[in-house]
């Protein structure tokens, strides 16, 4: 088997593992690695899109009991509002500036939350309870999804501020990622798929299944407190990756 294919499968595996454990972030893990490997850009984008949808489907199937359906519905409605706004921004604004602002915000939020968790854990915490925040989260998610395929970032922040249980957190975020089916369809009809897309995706299926199994196993070994700590650290890393890329 070609070395590029083997390395590509490993990059996709890591993305699936990250998605299963944290509930988001596979694109910002797999895409830079695939770029370094030398996989053609359109092939990388389309394969990662299909892989993310497949992993989300597996995780939803195994965790549907923990999905916050009322919150999910409001976020999905908000996303439908935010998607055209993101497309409008994409057409008329300098998205590099928006990307820098997003990366900087994630670094600041992750650093602040991590420091508060480590050093001020007994202080009063902000907890979002009103349903209006679900809709606002969906709108921001739709905007960022249109711009950078980063629709999971605001959902993660909302979940941490709402103090969701670790199982509810992962399951609801994974369910929200089913909106990616529209992205995948758009890529297919928009000519993003290449002759490598389907063969590489089919080759990656065993790797993705293994990544889900390992990710589920690791999540069972992780308490909520430890998960929260690693989550904030991961948000900081994603912010840095957004600025770099």
């Amino acid at each position: 088997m070609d070395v590029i294919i083997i390395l590509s499968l490993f990059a996709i595996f890591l993305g699936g593992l990250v998605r299963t454990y944290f509930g988001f972030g596979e694109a910002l893990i797999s895409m830079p690695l695939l770029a370094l490997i030398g996989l053609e850009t359109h092939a990388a984008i389309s394969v990662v899109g299909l892989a993310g949808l497949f992993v989300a489907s597996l995780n939803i199937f195994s965790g549907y009991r923990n999905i916050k359906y009322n919150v999910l519905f409001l976020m999905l409605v908000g996303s439908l509002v935010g998607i055209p706004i993101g497309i409008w921004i994409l057409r008329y604004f300098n998205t590099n500036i928006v990307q820098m602002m997003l990366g900087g915000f994630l670094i600041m939020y992750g650093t602040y939350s991590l420091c508060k968790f480590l050093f001020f854990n007994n202080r009063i915490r902000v907890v979002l309870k009103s349903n209006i925040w679900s809709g606002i989260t969906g709108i921001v998610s739709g905007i960022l999804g249109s711009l950078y395929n980063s629709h999971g970032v605001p959902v993660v922040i909302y979940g941490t501020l709402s103090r969701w249980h670790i199982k509810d957190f992962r399951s609801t975020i994974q369910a929200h990622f089913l909106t990616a089916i529209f992205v995948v369809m758009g890529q297919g009809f928009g000519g993003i798929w290449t002759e490598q897309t389907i063969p590489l995706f089919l080759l990656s299926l065993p790797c993705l299944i293994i990544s889900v199994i390992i990710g589920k196993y690791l999540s069972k070994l992780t308490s909520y407190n430890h998960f929260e700590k690693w989550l904030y650290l991961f948000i900081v890393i994603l912010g840095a990756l957004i600025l770099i890329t």
Side-chain angles (χ1 to χ4, degrees):
M1 186 180 293
D2 191 279
V3 175
I4 292 181
I5 298 298
I6 295 175
L7 293 176
S8 298
L9 293 177
F10 180 69
I12 295 170
F13 165 81
L14 287 180
L17 182 62
V18 166
R19 160 69 79 87
T20 301
Y21 185 79
F22 288 107
F24 75 112
E26 83 291 344
L28 290 174
I29 296 298
S30 296
M31 287 298 297
L33 292 176
L34 292 174
L36 288 174
I37 292 168
L39 189 67
E40 195 271 328
T41 302
H42 282 186
I45 292 172
S46 55
V47 170
V48 169
L50 286 170
L53 186 60
F54 179 75
V55 171
S57 301
L58 291 181
N59 284 297
I60 290 170
F61 179 76
S62 61
Y64 69 94
R65 293 185 182 89
N66 301 110
I67 296 174
K68 291 181 173 292
Y69 288 99
N70 58 329
V71 173
L72 177 64
F73 174 76
L74 292 174
M75 287 194 298
L76 292 178
V77 172
S79 293
L80 295 178
V81 176
I83 287 172
I85 297 176
I87 294 174
W88 180 73
I89 294 174
L90 193 62
R91 293 183 62 184
Y92 296 105
F93 286 84
N94 186 339
T95 55
N96 288 332
I97 296 176
V98 181
Q99 182 173 349
M100 291 178 63
M101 292 174 60
L102 174 62
F105 171 76
L106 290 181
I107 292 174
M108 289 188 295
Y109 174 78
T111 302
Y112 164 76
S113 299
L114 183 61
C115 291
K116 186 174 67 172
F117 174 82
L118 293 176
F119 304 112
F120 305 102
N121 202 30
N122 295 324
R123 300 289 181 87
I124 297 174
R125 294 189 174 192
V126 176
V127 180
L128 302 180
K129 295 182 179 180
S130 174
N131 287 333
I132 193 174
W133 292 109
S134 303
I136 294 174
T137 299
I139 294 173
V140 178
S141 174
I143 293 173
L144 294 181
S146 297
L147 290 173
Y148 307 114
N149 288 322
S150 300
H151 43 284
V153 171
V155 182
V156 169
I157 294 175
Y158 174 62
T160 57
L161 292 177
S162 299
R163 306 299 298 161
W164 291 347
H165 187 275
I166 185 171
K167 292 182 179 179
D168 300 338
F169 181 89
R170 289 197 184 95
S171 297
T172 304
I173 291 175
Q174 297 287 1
H176 182 264
F177 266 103
L178 279 186
T179 55
I181 191 171
F182 299 109
V183 176
V184 170
M185 291 173 60
Q187 291 173 350
F189 290 116
I192 302 299
W193 288 16
T194 71
E195 60 183 12
Q196 292 178 292
T197 299
I198 297 300
L200 184 56
F201 171 65
L202 293 177
L203 283 174
S204 71
L205 290 180
C207 299
L208 292 172
I209 293 173
I210 294 173
S211 73
V212 171
I213 294 173
I214 296 176
K216 289 287 187 183
Y217 175 74
L218 292 177
S219 66
K220 290 181 179 179
L221 298 179
T222 308
S223 66
Y224 180 80
N225 286 337
H226 286 152
F227 174 75
E228 190 176 9
K229 176 178 64 177
W230 293 120
L231 177 63
Y232 293 141
L233 180 60
F234 186 56
I235 289 174
V236 174
I237 293 173
L238 286 186
L241 286 175
I242 289 175
L243 290 180
I244 292 171
T245 58

